[in-house]
Amino acid sequence: LAPGSGREAFAALAPFLFGGAQAMGAVVLRHAVNRGKGAALKTGFAHIEAAHPGADVVCAGCDGQHRPADILAVARHVAADGVMVLGTRAFSGRVPLRSRVGNGFTRSVFLLATGRHLSDTQTGLRGYPTTMLPWLRGVRGERFEYELELLLRAGPAGHAVEEVEIETV
């Protein structure tokens, strides 16, 4: 954890947040040690397949950037079209320069690598139809690279990726 990054605060609060969520009836899955975001997502996908067969999945970052209305819009789009859906931000208003530049860079590299344009390759709001869960678990990557790897491999694997514009928070 980098000092001053906000991660220290989150790490200190996580047991209380997740414990509270669990006390309210949420299923909280844990790894004994931090294995990375990709590994956590794969564990979640496997759990959904086993415990809720046929259910679509929407993943939303826990940093407060995604409004409930936007999460529901992504879920509705996945259910209606049966494809991977990205909640894409317009990057309007007061957006940190680092976020604008970083997303612009990865968007450009993605376009060069795949020939496909996506508005927001870094979004933490993504939806997946139940039919994709076995494929998602097989994509390589254990950390933050996993989500970009999904986007890079989706087209060649025959998976469409659609976008729903969401509010930039």
Side-chain angles (χ1 to χ4, degrees), residues 4 6 8 13-14 24 28 42 69 76 96 98 123 128 130 137 160:
E8 289 176 324
L13 290 174
M24 293 172 60
V28 177
K42 290 176 188 180
R76 282 191 297 272
R98 184 180 88 168
T123 183
Y128 308 102
T130 189
R137 288 193 352 266

Side-chain angles (χ1 to χ4, degrees), residues 55-59 67-87 125-130 162-167:
D56 297 331
V57 176
V58 176
C59 302
R67 299 175 320 129
D70 292 328
I71 295 168
L72 292 172
V74 168
R76 282 191 297 272
H77 196 96
V78 171
D81 290 358
V83 298
M84 182 189 313
V85 177
L86 305 180
L125 178 54
R126 298 166 182 233
Y128 308 102
T130 189
E162 296 181 4
E163 299 176 299
V164 171
E165 189 171 323
I166 61 171
E167 184 176 326

